[in-house]
Short mmCIF file of all heavy atoms in Angstrom, two decimals:
data_model
loop_
_atom_site.label_atom_id
_atom_site.label_comp_id
_atom_site.label_asym_id
_atom_site.label_seq_id
_atom_site.Cartn_x
_atom_site.Cartn_y
_atom_site.Cartn_z
N ASP A 308 32.10 11.88 41.46
CA ASP A 308 31.67 11.85 40.10
C ASP A 308 32.83 12.36 39.21
O ASP A 308 33.38 13.44 39.44
CB ASP A 308 30.47 12.81 39.95
CG ASP A 308 29.94 12.84 38.59
OD1 ASP A 308 29.01 11.73 38.16
OD2 ASP A 308 30.40 13.57 37.68
N PRO A 309 33.10 11.48 38.16
CA PRO A 309 34.29 11.82 37.31
C PRO A 309 34.06 13.12 36.54
O PRO A 309 35.01 13.99 36.26
CB PRO A 309 34.39 10.66 36.38
CG PRO A 309 33.17 9.85 36.36
CD PRO A 309 32.52 10.11 37.80
N LEU A 326 29.65 29.20 32.32
CA LEU A 326 29.03 27.97 32.03
C LEU A 326 29.43 27.45 30.62
O LEU A 326 29.73 26.25 30.41
CB LEU A 326 27.68 27.91 32.28
CG LEU A 326 26.71 26.61 31.80
CD1 LEU A 326 27.19 25.43 32.80
CD2 LEU A 326 25.40 26.92 32.03
N GLU A 328 32.00 28.23 28.67
CA GLU A 328 33.46 27.82 28.51
C GLU A 328 33.59 26.42 29.16
O GLU A 328 34.28 25.63 28.52
CB GLU A 328 34.33 28.83 29.13
CG GLU A 328 35.89 28.42 28.95
CD GLU A 328 36.76 29.47 29.41
OE1 GLU A 328 36.39 30.57 29.72
OE2 GLU A 328 37.99 29.19 29.40
N ARG A 332 34.87 23.24 27.18
CA ARG A 332 36.28 22.58 27.58
C ARG A 332 35.92 20.99 27.80
O ARG A 332 36.66 20.13 27.48
CB ARG A 332 36.78 23.15 28.89
CG ARG A 332 37.56 24.36 28.56
CD ARG A 332 37.95 25.09 29.73
NE ARG A 332 38.75 26.32 29.55
CZ ARG A 332 40.04 26.23 29.70
NH1 ARG A 332 40.71 25.06 30.04
NH2 ARG A 332 40.77 27.39 29.54
N LEU A 333 34.77 20.71 28.51
CA LEU A 333 34.47 19.29 28.77
C LEU A 333 34.22 18.48 27.58
O LEU A 333 34.78 17.38 27.32
CB LEU A 333 33.20 19.27 29.68
CG LEU A 333 33.30 19.70 31.10
CD1 LEU A 333 32.01 19.57 31.84
CD2 LEU A 333 34.43 18.91 31.87
N ALA A 334 33.65 19.23 26.55
CA ALA A 334 33.27 18.44 25.17
C ALA A 334 34.54 18.43 24.43
O ALA A 334 34.85 17.07 23.89
CB ALA A 334 32.29 19.21 24.45
N LEU A 339 33.33 14.85 26.78
CA LEU A 339 32.09 14.76 27.61
C LEU A 339 30.92 15.52 27.01
O LEU A 339 30.97 16.81 27.09
CB LEU A 339 32.49 15.27 29.08
CG LEU A 339 33.45 14.35 29.84
CD1 LEU A 339 33.74 15.07 31.16
CD2 LEU A 339 32.75 13.03 30.20
N SER A 341 27.91 15.89 27.80
CA SER A 341 26.77 16.24 28.72
C SER A 341 26.02 17.50 28.26
O SER A 341 26.55 18.28 27.78
CB SER A 341 27.22 16.31 30.22
OG SER A 341 27.96 15.13 30.66
N GLN A 348 23.86 21.31 36.80
CA GLN A 348 23.60 20.74 37.96
C GLN A 348 24.75 20.22 38.73
O GLN A 348 24.89 20.21 40.02
CB GLN A 348 22.61 19.47 37.64
CG GLN A 348 21.19 20.12 37.30
CD GLN A 348 20.32 18.93 36.75
OE1 GLN A 348 20.76 17.72 36.54
NE2 GLN A 348 19.03 19.23 36.43
N HIS A 349 25.76 19.80 37.92
CA HIS A 349 27.06 19.34 38.53
C HIS A 349 27.64 20.54 39.32
O HIS A 349 28.10 20.50 40.34
CB HIS A 349 28.05 18.81 37.44
CG HIS A 349 27.80 17.40 37.09
ND1 HIS A 349 27.55 16.36 37.92
CD2 HIS A 349 27.65 16.85 35.82
CE1 HIS A 349 27.29 15.28 37.18
NE2 HIS A 349 27.46 15.52 35.92
N LEU A 352 26.00 21.36 42.57
CA LEU A 352 26.48 20.42 43.63
C LEU A 352 27.80 20.74 44.17
O LEU A 352 28.16 20.68 45.31
CB LEU A 352 26.50 18.85 43.10
CG LEU A 352 26.18 17.84 44.12
CD1 LEU A 352 25.40 16.72 43.68
CD2 LEU A 352 27.58 17.31 44.57
N VAL A 359 33.38 25.10 44.46
CA VAL A 359 33.27 26.01 43.35
C VAL A 359 32.57 27.23 44.03
O VAL A 359 31.49 27.08 44.79
CB VAL A 359 32.44 25.37 42.21
CG1 VAL A 359 32.02 26.61 41.16
CG2 VAL A 359 33.42 24.49 41.51
N GLY A 365 29.10 41.98 36.73
CA GLY A 365 28.23 42.66 35.79
C GLY A 365 27.24 41.80 35.27
O GLY A 365 26.50 41.21 36.12
N TYR A 367 27.76 38.99 33.69
CA TYR A 367 28.20 37.61 33.50
C TYR A 367 28.39 36.82 34.94
O TYR A 367 28.55 37.57 35.96
CB TYR A 367 29.65 37.69 32.77
CG TYR A 367 29.86 38.87 32.04
CD1 TYR A 367 30.60 39.91 32.40
CD2 TYR A 367 29.18 39.04 30.76
CE1 TYR A 367 30.93 40.92 31.68
CE2 TYR A 367 29.49 40.19 29.90
CZ TYR A 367 30.40 41.18 30.41
OH TYR A 367 30.61 42.20 29.67
N GLU A 389 48.70 18.95 62.22
CA GLU A 389 48.19 20.34 62.04
C GLU A 389 46.81 20.47 62.45
O GLU A 389 46.18 21.55 62.61
CB GLU A 389 48.27 20.60 60.36
CG GLU A 389 49.74 20.79 59.87
CD GLU A 389 50.41 22.15 60.47
OE1 GLU A 389 49.75 23.17 60.50
OE2 GLU A 389 51.48 21.88 60.93
N ALA A 398 30.49 15.43 60.86
CA ALA A 398 29.31 15.94 61.64
C ALA A 398 28.43 16.94 60.71
O ALA A 398 27.25 17.14 60.93
CB ALA A 398 29.78 16.56 62.87
N SER A 400 28.17 16.83 57.43
CA SER A 400 27.63 16.52 56.14
C SER A 400 26.24 15.75 56.10
O SER A 400 25.65 15.58 57.25
CB SER A 400 28.59 15.51 55.44
OG SER A 400 28.83 14.40 56.27
#
Side-chain angles (χ1 to χ4, degrees):
Chain A
D308 182 89
L326 174 61
E328 181 174 352
R332 283 169 172 267
L333 292 178
L339 292 169
S341 307
Q348 286 168 355
H349 282 310
L352 207 141
V359 163
Y367 335 106
E389 292 293 313
S400 59

